[in-house]
Amino acid sequence: MKIVIPGGTGHVGAVLERGLLAAGHRLVVLTRSPSRPHHLHWDGRTLGPWTEAVDGADAVINLAGRSVSCRYTRENLAEMMGSRVDSTRVLGEAIAAAERPPAVWLQMSTATIYAHTFDRANDEATGIIGGNEPDAPAYWSKSIDIARAWERTLDEADTPRTRKVALRSAMVMSTDRGAVFDVLSRMALLGLGGPVAGGRQFVSWIHEADFTRAVQFLIDHDLSGPVNLAAPHPLRQKDLMRTIRRAWGGHFGLPATKWMAEIGAFALRSDTELLLKSRRVIPGRLEDAGFEFEYPAWEAAADDLARRTAAERKWPLLRRPGLKAVRALTGS
């Protein structure tokens, strides 16, 4: 199967590339900075020679968009919005103009579209779209606005011969350097992986293997519209970090207050929404369609990721890693 992946050079693109190539698919990655034979240049805004790759493809998976791991300044928010809306719009134009359009267009979205909540979980049928929560900072609505505009642009694309799916993805947990599990593991190994602001907020997540399997499932099955890509058992931040500490040997986890999280986010040039928003999202449509998770629970997922992280980085998985192991993870 020929699959085109706009914006496929980031973390999620790397996860998909590994899985889809292993499954025998032929990939074309659209990127601003081509570096490999299967890469093609695009700017994410205008039509160009890259449209020839879309015409005749079996599927398109659009991952393009500026990383959300940044300070939520006016400039960064504008870039987050523009990069998502523009790339989705122009991809829709390419598909609409194709003589042989792809059968399916999987469009990245985000589980952040749902409301900040500590009680009932959000599925696609009954989930509450966020933006007006009384217990959430007002500026968190900006990320909701971006997610809604992203999906609205997908809906407005005039592609009647192409099935469209919005991937409302939770955090993809993988062994890649700089990815979420890597960052959280560094914190755990340094004794900083405790509860943040009490740790009551829910974290939705999905193991990299299940993310790739879910994408292939959606290519093969006749689903359209929004689909949650998240494991069926979200858990509270304090429990997520306790499990990571246990996977690395049961380290002590220093708790952090909200103001400490603010300082840490500022130092990392990120935003506390990524830490403090409670995302309790479940995969209603995937499970209803018969998808079975290889890693439905975080305990097994964290153990697998820790074991493979240690193996890939060429040092033994010590349940209490020595200084050399800590330096390997932290890059110090």
Side-chain angles (χ1 to χ4, degrees):
M1 185 178 292
K2 179 185 176 183
I3 301 175
V4 178
I5 309 180
T9 56
H11 163 236
V12 175
V15 167
L16 273 183
E17 184 171 64
R18 285 195 299 269
L20 295 176
L21 287 176
H25 299 296
R26 181 163 60 96
L27 305 185
V28 178
V29 173
L30 305 183
T31 172
R32 288 179 173 85
S33 302
S35 61
R36 303 179 64 181
H38 62 288
H39 289 182
L40 286 178
H41 179 268
W42 84 325
D43 63 7
R45 297 189 306 274
T46 58
L47 298 172
W50 59 267
T51 60
E52 296 177 9
V54 172
D55 197 335
D58 297 290
V60 172
I61 309 169
N62 186 21
L63 307 177
R66 191 210 195 283
S67 171
V68 298
S69 184
C70 63
R71 300 297 292 172
Y72 283 8
T73 64
R74 181 179 301 177
E75 294 76 11
N76 286 343
L77 286 168
E79 188 176 349
M80 288 160 61
M81 175 73 84
S83 61
R84 284 159 173 73
V85 169
D86 289 345
S87 60
T88 306
R89 172 190 51 77
V90 77
L91 184 58
E93 292 173 0
I95 293 174
E99 292 184 9
R100 295 174 298 153
V104 59
W105 172 6
L106 304 185
Q107 171 62 49
M108 196 65 170
S109 182
T110 174
T112 296
I113 198 169
Y114 292 110
H116 169 70
T117 180
F118 294 96
D119 44 38
R120 70 181 185 85
N122 287 306
D123 64 11
E124 300 91 337
T126 64
I128 299 172
I129 302 300
N132 298 302
E133 303 93 316
D135 57 344
Y139 82 93
W140 284 7
S141 65
K142 299 296 185 183
S143 59
I144 306 294
D145 293 341
I146 292 169
R148 296 180 76 162
W150 207 1
E151 293 193 5
R152 185 167 58 249
T153 306
L154 173 69
D155 291 340
E156 291 172 351
D158 186 15
T159 58
R161 293 183 290 167
T162 299
R163 176 169 55 91
K164 298 183 289 188
V165 184
L167 307 176
R168 291 181 176 172
S169 178
M171 291 188 292
V172 180
M173 298 293 191
S174 77
T175 60
D176 294 274
R177 290 185 183 274
V180 177
F181 184 77
D182 180 44
V183 172
L184 298 181
S185 292
R186 296 184 202 183
M187 294 172 64
L189 287 167
L190 293 171
L192 302 175
V196 176
R200 291 180 57 245
Q201 63 273 31
F202 279 88
V203 180
S204 290
W205 59 276
I206 186 169
H207 188 286
E208 60 177 328
D210 284 327
F211 180 83
T212 301
R213 291 177 58 248
V215 164
Q216 294 185 86
F217 183 91
L218 290 169
I219 290 174
D220 295 336
H221 290 74
D222 191 23
L223 277 74
S224 59
V227 175
N228 293 345
L229 267 59
H233 301 296
L235 70 169
R236 296 189 187 274
Q237 186 269 340
K238 61 182 179 181
D239 298 323
L240 178 114
M241 291 309 303
R242 182 187 299 117
T243 302
I244 291 177
R245 297 198 308 270
R246 186 180 300 127
W248 289 110
H251 295 261
F252 172 77
L254 184 69
T257 62
K258 184 177 179 180
W259 68 264
M260 292 169 67
E262 292 279 2
I263 293 173
F266 181 81
L268 295 171
R269 308 306 301 160
S270 188
D271 194 272
T272 53
E273 184 197 23
L274 303 176
L275 289 172
L276 301 181
K277 180 170 180 176
S278 186
R279 299 170 176 84
R280 194 174 188 182
V281 179
I282 55 174
R285 297 192 69 200
L286 271 179
E287 291 197 308
D288 288 347
F291 182 80
E292 296 183 2
F293 285 83
E294 185 177 350
Y295 294 96
W298 180 235
E299 289 78 5
D303 282 343
D304 171 75
L305 292 166
R307 176 184 55 79
R308 291 193 297 113
T309 295
E312 290 171 9
R313 299 183 191 187
K314 309 298 183 184
W315 44 267
L317 177 60
L318 303 175
R319 285 303 177 185
R320 289 192 179 275
L323 182 59
K324 181 178 179 182
V326 172
R327 284 176 174 168
L329 263 182
T330 61
S332 61

